[in-house]
Amino acid sequence: MFAKKVFSSFVLSVVILLSACSENVSFELAPSKVASLKMSATKKDGVTTTKFMFRESDLKLLNAALNNGCSVEAVIRNLGAKKSSESGSSKEKFSFGFLTEMGEKLDSPTVTGKFSDADSDTVCVSVVTKKLPAGLFVEGSGKFFLDDLHVVPSKVGFDFSSDIPVFAFSSKGGTISKKEIFSSAVDFSDVRFTPDMKFKVKFSPSADSSGRTATVLSVNKEKFYVRKPADSSSAEFSVLAVKNPSGILSLSENKNQISSLILSSSGKSSRPKTIKSGGKTFVMTPIVTDPGLVMWWPKKNWRGDDYEIFSWDRFKGVLIFDVANYDVQDDFFKRIAFFVEKAGYRGQLYSDAFLSDKHGYNAHDYRAESLAEFYEEVRRRNFPLNEKEKLLKLILIENGIIVENGDGSISGGKGAVISISQESQMYLRTQFIAHEGWHGIFFLDADFRNEVYKLFDELDYGTKLYLIRYFQVTPSLNYDVNDEYLLRNEFMAYMLQKPVSEVSKYFVEMASRQHSQEMAKKEADYIISNQARYFVEASGKLDEYVNKRWNLDAGRVWLIN
């Protein structure tokens, strides 16, 4: 439907659409049924105020939409721009806001500005309104065209990536100015946050394509480092990753890389799938995110008491478990660790009593095939599992990592699981999420595996010999080095778990430790004598490869942290 009316200084062509906020409904703005509140335009001292009232039927739809957390969005064009000879002329100035039932202006929210401050003759203005407006107004001394009025899921921020710049304000309103946004901040203090909200960032064409230069966003002094993905011009992260999102967001370092920053709601309430056991609720649906955010994710935003599940946004199928402590992690993964990787134990299922005094790992990684083999052996032997292992099986089936067949047997699906613990100190969480993250990519990407195999086969003999002995004699590891896949997978992760600049120091220190000197002295001394030269070379080659493929680096599997 379409409505059009011409005034001496204002052209109106408006359709209001409700999309994600409620049902797919469109209706035209029209004069109110109250005769005295029809669409009108008044002029005083050269300033024209145009008012447009909603119908009663429109108000019902608006009310439903706004209750779900939505913004009113309008596109305004300056028809007098070409005739104005002065930049910043009063002909460019305008105000946009809402009306009461009596046709009076609401004090807030109101948006004011000049087209010259937006570097465009057309702007899109989006405003969150907490109160149900009876109508809207546009006021100014120039000639304006108002069209494409929508009700959209609530959003705040800016988008300068297209021909029409978008200025999205909270219920406080604001001023249209590119300079002000980049020089100061975006105000989120008046936003009604919902769990489905996300910060969406678009990068300018000139942004660093290597991913090594981050734009720094500060939300109430909490800093987020955001890098450009290799395969996209945008990135996003959940509001749940922010400790206190209600406040001021400012752009500091490398802000010229950003062309858009919008906090928006999907307009849909999505509840995670859960199961109940022993009076507790356990979540099975992961939060899709960047692994760099997992390290610092506020525990108060966890959906469970002793663990949270995430899914890697860029590598589909990799689940990331963050658990409350090592005991919880052992309950999930310790028996699996011995079944899958520990020399002398592989392929066997051991009782809780047998494993009670043995060390698993402080972080874990397992591919779909290995997890399926474990649960199939459990089924075949009718082996008793603990509650966390039973829960893990359900989570893996729910997310397609293992498959339960019609006859009850278990086979491999697609994906992998990695895990870290809150009990680890932050420097270790950082190293572990990198180490385990590289394993996740190794499980999924055949070309990456081929590159790793090639570099391992080319590795200096003495260096390779030390690595094998290190894996054997380090009590906390005890990898089965006869497994060629496992050996190369761990070689890769140790080459990429730290920045290349730290590799020499790390391996020289490992070679100098007591267990290395007592049980592999000849091999360890070789590493010390050449300062781990060949490890550094291998790390450098892999670093170059992963940066070219994914804009990642040795020591960094994340784009946002």
Side-chain angles (χ1 to χ4, degrees), residues 195-203 217 224-229 232-242 258 260-266 287-294 297 311-314 316 558-561:
D196 66 304
M197 282 185 164
K198 292 183 179 181
F199 290 96
K200 298 181 180 181
V201 176
K202 290 182 183 178
F203 293 87
L217 315 178
F224 292 86
Y225 297 79
V226 185
R227 302 164 184 84
K228 183 180 182 301
S232 175
S233 61
S234 62
E236 62 182 39
F237 61 99
S238 170
V239 71
L240 295 175
V242 185
I258 300 296
S260 174
L261 173 61
I262 295 285
L263 171 67
S264 64
S265 166
S266 67
I287 297 171
V288 180
T289 193
D290 186 288
L293 293 170
V294 174
W297 200 275
S311 178
W312 199 336
D313 55 358
R314 298 183 70 203
K316 306 301 181 185
W558 50 84
L559 291 172
I560 308 174
N561 65 308

Side-chain angles (χ1 to χ4, degrees), residues 330-340 348-352 355 374 378 383-386 389:
D330 280 350
D331 285 345
F332 271 119
F333 299 111
K334 187 175 184 179
R335 202 183 328 265
I336 295 174
F338 279 80
F339 182 88
V340 174
Q348 301 298 317
L349 297 173
Y350 294 94
S351 68
D352 293 344
L355 295 173
F374 172 80
V378 166
F383 188 89
L385 297 177
N386 66 41
E389 289 166 328

Side-chain angles (χ1 to χ4, degrees), residues 198-339:
K198 292 183 179 181
F199 290 96
K200 298 181 180 181
V201 176
K202 290 182 183 178
F203 293 87
S204 62
S206 61
D208 179 12
S209 59
S210 74
R212 286 175 170 155
T213 304
T215 297
V216 181
L217 315 178
S218 296
V219 185
N220 291 325
K221 298 183 179 179
E222 183 183 8
K223 290 186 176 180
F224 292 86
Y225 297 79
V226 185
R227 302 164 184 84
K228 183 180 182 301
D231 55 355
S232 175
S233 61
S234 62
E236 62 182 39
F237 61 99
S238 170
V239 71
L240 295 175
V242 185
K243 292 178 181 176
N244 180 21
S246 180
I248 302 297
L249 183 148
S250 60
L251 295 167
S252 50
E253 300 173 34
N254 305 308
K255 56 189 175 184
N256 61 314
Q257 292 200 125
I258 300 296
S259 62
S260 174
L261 173 61
I262 295 285
L263 171 67
S264 64
S265 166
S266 67
K268 301 175 182 178
S269 57
S270 55
R271 293 183 178 179
K273 185 172 183 178
T274 60
I275 59 172
K276 290 187 176 182
S277 177
K280 293 184 178 180
T281 301
F282 299 96
V283 66
M284 301 175 68
T285 308
I287 297 171
V288 180
T289 193
D290 186 288
L293 293 170
V294 174
M295 295 184 294
W296 300 92
W297 200 275
K299 196 166 182 289
K300 66 182 179 67
N301 289 341
W302 278 15
R303 300 165 300 169
D305 294 331
D306 55 8
Y307 75 95
E308 181 58 280
I309 325 173
F310 304 91
S311 178
W312 199 336
D313 55 358
R314 298 183 70 203
F315 295 94
K316 306 301 181 185
V318 177
L319 293 186
I320 306 171
F321 279 71
D322 195 5
V323 298
N325 52 54
Y326 292 142
D327 287 342
V328 173
Q329 188 167 237
D330 280 350
D331 285 345
F332 271 119
F333 299 111
K334 187 175 184 179
R335 202 183 328 265
I336 295 174
F338 279 80
F339 182 88

Side-chain angles (χ1 to χ4, degrees), residues 291-292 294-295 312 315 317-323 326 329 333 337 340-342 359-367 415-421 424 427-445 448 471 476-477 479 485-486 489-498 506 552-558:
V294 174
M295 295 184 294
W312 199 336
F315 295 94
V318 177
L319 293 186
I320 306 171
F321 279 71
D322 195 5
V323 298
Y326 292 142
Q329 188 167 237
F333 299 111
V340 174
E341 293 186 354
K342 295 282 189 178
H359 177 70
Y361 298 119
N362 291 343
H364 295 257
D365 62 273
Y366 306 104
R367 57 176 170 163
V417 167
I418 64 178
S419 173
I420 61 173
S421 170
S424 299
Y427 81 93
L428 284 175
R429 283 172 63 80
T430 302
Q431 180 177 309
F432 289 160
I433 201 72
H435 183 107
E436 307 305 340
W438 289 120
H439 283 314
I441 298 174
F442 185 89
F443 291 143
L444 266 60
D445 194 275
F448 183 42
F471 288 161
S476 61
L477 300 180
Y479 294 133
Y485 183 96
L486 174 61
N489 193 1
E490 292 301 337
F491 155 72
M492 173 279 303
Y494 276 85
M495 295 304 100
L496 288 175
Q497 69 181 4
K498 289 176 172 288
Y506 175 81
L552 303 178
D553 295 310
R556 178 177 65 81
V557 294
W558 50 84

Side-chain angles (χ1 to χ4, degrees), residues 73 188 277 291 321 402 419 469 487 541:
E73 184 171 280
F188 295 106
S277 177
F321 279 71
I402 64 174
S419 173
R469 291 293 292 142
L487 180 60
K541 290 177 181 178

Side-chain angles (χ1 to χ4, degrees), residues 69-88:
C70 289
S71 296
V72 176
E73 184 171 280
V75 175
I76 305 173
R77 272 189 264 168
N78 180 14
L79 296 182
K82 295 181 180 179
K83 297 180 180 179
S84 176
S85 58
E86 299 180 16
S87 177

